[in-house]
Amino acid sequence: MSLNFKEFVASKPNLKYLFFGGKGGVGKTVIAAGTAYYLAEKLGKKTLISSTNPVHSLSSAFGQDIWGKGIQKIKDTKNLYAIEIDISDTIKRYKEEIRNKILTFLKYADIPLDPEPFIEIATTNPAFEESAMFDDMINLMLKEEFDVYVFDTAPVAHTYRLLGMSKVYDLWLHKMIESRKEALSLRVKLSFRKEKIMEEIKKDPMLTSLLTTREQIEKGRKLLTDNERTAFFFVTLPLALPIAVIERFIGWVKAFEIPIGGVIVNEVLPKEEFDLTNISPYIANKIKEQEHYIETIHNKFPGLVRAYVPLYETEVTGTNMIARVAETLGK
């Protein structure tokens, strides 16, 4: 028997990190915001909602400007906080760190090359922004200042790269650390003052930085794959394309060993609002179409459907409407 959203959350008393993803335009932010409101205001948990989407929309969802202002308390709530991170500072810091690492490497290797082309290549790769976002996300998680963290993720392609960063980082760091150790080991072998060199190596800033980063990534990976503390929810509309997208997405998330929380179906037409004995062919056809896709969702994701959120009479913006989403999730 499948658990609804309220029952699922109740069955996971240690649940702390909730992620929401899916195709663009399916209402991920609305569902994530409704969940955060439910956890904060209904269950009394000090909750932080954050966006890993470069195109942030939490400010619009809550009707409150929070962009780039750090952690902000949501008005008219007791336990709900939100943050829209400006990753430009993180990107600047990343570029400077990579620049220093490359300069250090070339200096120790005594390679007389212009470092700028290497620095340019290293800091303009397509996943650089995701790297910065991943770093900020892990930093938030590791601080553990809140009872619960809710992440509104970017559309699938961005999130796939974001979640993949831990594995990419791990491979890159492993290679860099081994290369650095090999270089330092060779330096010791060639030196007549081995003790002095060994002391210098213990303080090697590049190796220390790499080991610290690897430790941070490993802690983050453990949290992301913790079945009791983490859950990834997939938001879909009762339509063919969003369903196909989350079907692939669930496979990818499983490959990263991130626990699956379930599927939430958004913008379902509320049949109780219609006089079914006297409706237009247009509405009748839309209801029939949705019923077909809801059956498809049940067949494709057995035991994973946690909630149906209706298509409201107005757009979901502001805490009053977010509270209505939370109420639906809590039924």
Side-chain angles (χ1 to χ4, degrees):
M1 181 179 175
S2 63
L3 302 176
N4 65 27
F5 183 79
K6 179 182 177 181
E7 292 166 339
F8 178 83
V9 171
S11 73
K12 298 277 186 181
N14 296 320
L15 191 60
K16 192 177 183 77
Y17 309 105
L18 294 82
F19 294 82
F20 291 83
K23 183 180 175 299
V26 298
K28 296 183 296 294
T29 301
V30 165
I31 302 302
T35 299
Y37 190 97
Y38 171 73
L39 295 167
E41 302 305 293
K42 301 296 181 183
L43 301 188
K45 295 177 182 290
K46 187 180 178 185
T47 302
L48 176 68
I49 181 169
S50 173
S51 172
T52 61
N53 191 340
V55 184
H56 297 288
S57 50
L58 290 177
S59 291
S60 300
F62 288 110
Q64 181 177 334
D65 183 16
I66 53 179
W67 164 247
K69 295 183 176 179
I71 295 174
Q72 298 290 305
K73 193 168 188 293
I74 298 300
K75 294 174 184 173
D76 304 322
T77 67
K78 294 179 181 176
N79 293 305
L80 182 54
Y81 299 78
I83 182 170
E84 286 184 329
I85 301 170
D86 180 357
I87 61 168
S88 58
D89 290 341
T90 307
I91 289 175
K92 286 179 187 173
R93 193 185 77 236
Y94 260 40
K95 288 187 175 182
E96 190 59 31
E97 287 177 356
I98 288 176
R99 169 184 288 274
N100 291 335
K101 284 185 173 71
I102 290 175
L103 290 175
T104 303
F105 175 79
L106 293 177
K107 177 185 173 186
Y108 271 100
D110 197 22
I111 299 174
L113 290 177
D114 178 5
E116 292 306 323
F118 296 96
I119 294 168
E120 182 67 20
I121 291 171
T123 57
T124 56
N125 73 75
F128 197 78
E129 194 170 278
E130 276 81 6
S131 302
M133 190 67 80
F134 182 82
D135 207 32
D136 283 337
M137 183 183 77
I138 295 299
N139 284 338
L140 271 181
M141 293 172 70
L142 293 179
K143 283 181 180 175
E144 301 215 19
E145 294 174 341
F146 291 82
D147 299 326
V148 182
Y149 294 80
V150 176
F151 291 97
D152 168 32
T153 73
V156 170
H158 283 280
T159 303
Y160 181 60
R161 291 208 299 264
L162 177 75
L163 297 178
M165 287 315 301
S166 61
K167 287 196 172 183
V168 174
Y169 263 145
D170 192 51
L171 291 171
W172 179 78
L173 284 167
H174 177 76
K175 188 70 178 175
M176 289 291 289
I177 289 169
E178 291 306 310
S179 297
R180 190 65 182 156
K181 284 181 176 177
E182 189 176 336
L184 294 173
S185 173
L186 184 61
R187 192 178 171 206
V188 171
K189 289 177 182 176
L190 296 175
S191 173
F192 291 106
R193 302 174 65 189
K194 293 184 175 9
E195 289 184 1
K196 182 176 183 298
I197 297 300
M198 285 296 291
E199 285 302 313
E200 289 181 8
I201 287 175
K202 288 178 183 176
K203 300 173 184 176
D204 179 67
M206 188 171 178
L207 185 59
T208 301
S209 172
L210 290 169
L211 291 172
T212 301
T213 304
R214 186 170 71 176
E215 183 182 2
Q216 186 92 340
I217 295 300
E218 180 58 21
K219 285 180 181 176
R221 192 191 66 77
K222 283 184 179 178
L223 291 181
L224 286 173
T225 56
D226 188 327
N227 192 50
E228 295 302 315
R229 306 179 78 188
T230 299
F232 202 113
F233 293 89
F234 302 86
V235 181
T236 185
L237 301 179
L239 293 170
L241 191 53
I243 295 170
V245 168
I246 66 165
E247 189 175 17
R248 291 197 300 273
F249 200 9
I250 285 176
W252 292 342
V253 170
K254 280 183 178 175
F256 290 127
E257 300 177 351
I258 296 172
I260 305 298
V263 173
I264 295 176
V265 188
N266 191 26
E267 296 190 2
V268 177
L269 286 172
K271 288 196 293 185
E272 63 276 13
E273 297 293 334
F274 300 103
D275 178 3
L276 297 178
T277 62
N278 185 30
I279 56 175
S280 68
Y282 176 85
I283 297 297
N285 189 61
K286 293 302 293 182
I287 290 175
K288 185 179 177 183
E289 181 185 61
Q290 285 206 348
E291 288 176 340
H292 164 70
Y293 284 122
I294 286 173
E295 184 179 353
T296 300
I297 290 168
H298 273 280
N299 292 335
K300 285 183 177 292
F301 316 113
L304 284 180
V305 179
R306 303 293 179 217
Y308 297 99
V309 177
L311 177 64
Y312 293 98
E313 69 278 8
T314 61
E315 186 180 5
V316 180
T317 57
T319 50
N320 288 338
M321 289 301 294
I322 295 296
R324 289 180 65 183
V325 176
E327 188 177 347
T328 297
L329 293 171
K331 288 182 178 176

